[in-house]
Coordinates of all heavy atoms in Angstrom, one line a residue:
M8 N -15.8 4.5 -7.0 CA -15.5 3.2 -7.7 C -14.5 2.3 -7.0 O -13.6 2.8 -6.4 CB -14.9 3.6 -9.1 CG -15.9 4.2 -10.1 SD -17.1 3.0 -10.6 CE -16.2 1.9 -11.6
P9 N -14.7 1.0 -7.0 CA -13.8 0.1 -6.3 C -12.4 0.3 -6.9 O -12.2 0.7 -8.1 CB -14.4 -1.3 -6.6 CG -15.8 -1.0 -6.8 CD -15.9 0.3 -7.5
L10 N -11.4 0.0 -6.1 CA -10.0 0.2 -6.5 C -9.4 -1.2 -6.6 O -9.4 -2.0 -5.7 CB -9.2 1.0 -5.5 CG -7.7 1.2 -5.8 CD1 -7.5 2.0 -7.1 CD2 -7.0 1.9 -4.6
R11 N -8.7 -1.5 -7.8 CA -8.0 -2.7 -8.0 C -6.5 -2.4 -8.0 O -6.1 -1.3 -8.4 CB -8.4 -3.4 -9.2 CG -9.8 -3.9 -9.2 CD -10.2 -4.8 -10.4 NE -9.3 -5.9 -10.6 CZ -9.4 -7.0 -9.9 NH1 -10.4 -7.2 -9.0 NH2 -8.5 -8.0 -10.0
W12 N -5.7 -3.3 -7.6 CA -4.2 -3.1 -7.6 C -3.7 -2.7 -8.9 O -2.7 -2.0 -9.1 CB -3.5 -4.2 -6.9 CG -3.4 -5.5 -7.6 CD1 -4.2 -6.6 -7.4 CD2 -2.5 -5.9 -8.7 NE1 -3.9 -7.6 -8.3 CE2 -2.8 -7.2 -9.0 CE3 -1.5 -5.2 -9.3 CZ2 -2.1 -7.9 -10.1 CZ3 -0.8 -5.9 -10.3 CH2 -1.1 -7.2 -10.7
E13 N -4.3 -3.3 -10.0 CA -3.9 -3.0 -11.3 C -4.0 -1.5 -11.7 O -3.4 -1.0 -12.6 CB -4.6 -3.9 -12.3 CG -4.3 -5.3 -12.2 CD -5.3 -6.1 -11.4 OE1 -6.0 -5.4 -10.5 OE2 -5.5 -7.3 -11.5
D14 N -4.9 -0.8 -10.9 CA -5.1 0.6 -11.2 C -4.3 1.5 -10.4 O -4.4 2.8 -10.4 CB -6.6 0.9 -10.9 CG -7.6 0.1 -11.7 OD1 -7.2 -0.1 -12.9 OD2 -8.6 -0.3 -11.2
W15 N -3.4 1.0 -9.6 CA -2.5 1.8 -8.8 C -1.6 2.7 -9.6 O -1.3 2.3 -10.8 CB -1.5 0.9 -7.9 CG -2.1 0.4 -6.7 CD1 -3.3 0.8 -6.0 CD2 -1.6 -0.7 -5.9 NE1 -3.5 0.0 -4.9 CE2 -2.5 -0.9 -4.8 CE3 -0.5 -1.5 -6.1 CZ2 -2.2 -1.9 -3.9 CZ3 -0.2 -2.5 -5.1 CH2 -1.1 -2.7 -4.0
P16 N -1.1 3.8 -9.1 CA -0.1 4.6 -9.8 C 1.1 3.8 -10.1 O 1.4 2.9 -9.4 CB 0.2 5.8 -8.8 CG -1.0 5.8 -7.9 CD -1.5 4.4 -7.8
T17 N 1.8 4.2 -11.2 CA 3.0 3.5 -11.6 C 4.0 3.4 -10.5 O 4.3 4.4 -9.8 CB 3.6 4.2 -12.8 OG1 2.7 4.3 -13.9 CG2 4.9 3.5 -13.3
G18 N 4.5 2.2 -10.3 CA 5.6 2.0 -9.3 C 5.1 1.4 -8.0 O 5.9 0.9 -7.2
I19 N 3.8 1.6 -7.6 CA 3.4 1.2 -6.3 C 3.5 -0.4 -6.1 O 4.0 -0.9 -5.2 CB 1.9 1.6 -6.0 CG1 1.9 3.2 -5.9 CG2 1.4 1.0 -4.7 CD1 2.5 3.8 -4.7
A20 N 2.9 -1.1 -7.1 CA 3.0 -2.5 -7.0 C 4.4 -3.1 -7.0 O 4.7 -4.0 -6.3 CB 2.2 -3.1 -8.2
E21 N 5.2 -2.5 -7.9 CA 6.6 -2.9 -8.0 C 7.4 -2.7 -6.7 O 8.1 -3.6 -6.2 CB 7.3 -2.2 -9.1 CG 6.8 -2.5 -10.5 CD 5.5 -1.8 -10.9 OE1 5.0 -1.0 -10.1 OE2 5.0 -2.1 -12.0
R22 N 7.1 -1.6 -6.0 CA 7.8 -1.3 -4.8 C 7.3 -2.1 -3.6 O 8.1 -2.5 -2.7 CB 7.7 0.2 -4.4 CG 8.7 1.1 -5.3 CD 8.7 2.5 -4.9 NE 7.6 3.3 -5.4 CZ 6.7 3.9 -4.7 NH1 6.8 3.9 -3.3 NH2 5.7 4.6 -5.2
L23 N 6.0 -2.4 -3.6 CA 5.4 -3.2 -2.6 C 6.0 -4.6 -2.7 O 6.4 -5.2 -1.7 CB 3.9 -3.3 -2.7 CG 3.2 -4.2 -1.7 CD1 3.3 -3.6 -0.3 CD2 1.7 -4.4 -2.1
R24 N 6.1 -5.1 -3.9 CA 6.6 -6.5 -4.1 C 8.1 -6.6 -3.9 O 8.7 -7.7 -3.6 CB 6.2 -7.0 -5.4 CG 4.7 -7.3 -5.5 CD 4.1 -7.5 -6.9 NE 2.7 -7.7 -6.8 CZ 1.9 -7.5 -7.8 NH1 2.4 -7.1 -9.0 NH2 0.6 -7.6 -7.7
A25 N 8.8 -5.5 -4.2 CA 10.3 -5.5 -4.0 C 10.6 -5.5 -2.5 O 11.6 -6.1 -2.1 CB 10.9 -4.3 -4.6
G26 N 9.7 -4.9 -1.7 CA 9.9 -4.9 -0.2 C 10.4 -3.6 0.3 O 11.2 -2.9 -0.3
C27 N 9.8 -3.1 1.4 CA 10.2 -1.9 2.0 C 9.8 -1.9 3.5 O 9.3 -2.8 4.0 CB 9.5 -0.7 1.3 SG 7.7 -0.7 1.4
V28 N 10.2 -0.8 4.1 CA 9.9 -0.5 5.5 C 8.5 0.2 5.6 O 8.4 1.3 5.0 CB 11.0 0.3 6.2 CG1 10.5 0.8 7.6 CG2 12.2 -0.6 6.3
I29 N 7.5 -0.3 6.3 CA 6.3 0.3 6.5 C 6.0 0.4 8.0 O 5.6 -0.6 8.6 CB 5.1 -0.4 5.8 CG1 5.4 -0.5 4.3 CG2 3.8 0.4 6.0 CD1 4.3 -1.3 3.5
P30 N 6.3 1.6 8.6 CA 6.0 1.7 10.1 C 4.5 1.7 10.4 O 3.7 2.2 9.6 CB 6.6 3.1 10.4 CG 7.5 3.4 9.3 CD 6.9 2.8 8.1
A31 N 4.1 1.0 11.5 CA 2.7 1.1 12.0 C 2.6 2.5 12.7 O 3.3 2.6 13.8 CB 2.4 -0.1 12.8
H32 N 1.8 3.4 12.3 CA 1.9 4.8 12.7 C 1.2 5.0 14.1 O 0.0 4.6 14.3 CB 1.1 5.6 11.6 CG 1.5 7.0 11.6 ND1 1.5 7.9 12.7 CD2 1.9 7.8 10.5 CE1 1.9 9.1 12.3 NE2 2.2 9.0 11.0
P33 N 1.9 5.6 15.0 CA 1.3 5.9 16.3 C 0.4 7.1 16.2 O 0.3 7.8 15.2 CB 2.5 6.2 17.2 CG 3.7 5.7 16.5 CD 3.4 5.8 15.0
L34 N -0.3 7.4 17.4 CA -1.2 8.5 17.5 C -0.6 9.6 18.4 O -0.3 9.3 19.6 CB -2.5 8.0 18.0 CG -3.6 9.0 18.3 CD1 -4.1 9.6 16.9 CD2 -4.8 8.4 19.1
A35 N -0.5 10.8 17.9 CA 0.0 11.9 18.7 C -1.1 12.6 19.4 O -2.0 13.2 18.8 CB 0.8 12.9 17.9
L36 N -1.1 12.6 20.8 CA -2.1 13.3 21.6 C -1.6 14.4 22.4 O -0.4 14.4 22.8 CB -2.8 12.2 22.5 CG -3.6 11.1 21.8 CD1 -4.1 10.1 22.8 CD2 -4.7 11.6 20.9
T37 N -2.5 15.3 22.8 CA -2.1 16.3 23.8 C -2.4 15.7 25.2 O -2.9 14.6 25.4 CB -3.0 17.5 23.6 OG1 -4.4 17.2 23.9 CG2 -2.9 18.1 22.2
A38 N -2.0 16.5 26.2 CA -2.2 16.0 27.6 C -3.7 15.8 27.9 O -4.0 15.1 28.8 CB -1.6 17.0 28.6
E39 N -4.6 16.5 27.1 CA -6.0 16.3 27.3 C -6.5 15.1 26.5 O -7.7 14.9 26.4 CB -6.7 17.6 26.8 CG -6.4 18.8 27.7 CD -5.0 19.4 27.5 OE1 -4.6 19.3 26.3 OE2 -4.4 19.9 28.4
R40 N -5.6 14.3 25.9 CA -6.0 13.2 25.1 C -6.8 13.6 23.9 O -7.7 12.8 23.4 CB -6.6 12.1 25.9 CG -5.8 11.7 27.1 CD -6.4 10.5 27.9 NE -5.7 10.4 29.2 CZ -4.6 9.8 29.4 NH1 -3.9 9.2 28.4 NH2 -4.1 9.8 30.7

């Protein structure tokens, strides 16, 4: 089923709008890539 922001778990919308740190996640590879 499609997901709407109104259906998020309690607190997600409030914390997103209050502002936070969201790192852009790197990729961990072995020497063999």
Side-chain angles (χ1 to χ4, degrees):
M8 290 289 292
L10 177 66
R11 296 186 56 79
W12 68 262
E13 293 93 339
D14 300 324
W15 280 344
T17 301
I19 294 291
E21 293 79 5
R22 284 187 281 121
L23 179 70
R24 290 169 183 156
C27 62
V28 168
I29 304 180
H32 205 305
L34 179 67
L36 296 177
T37 66
E39 294 74 33
R40 304 185 196 277

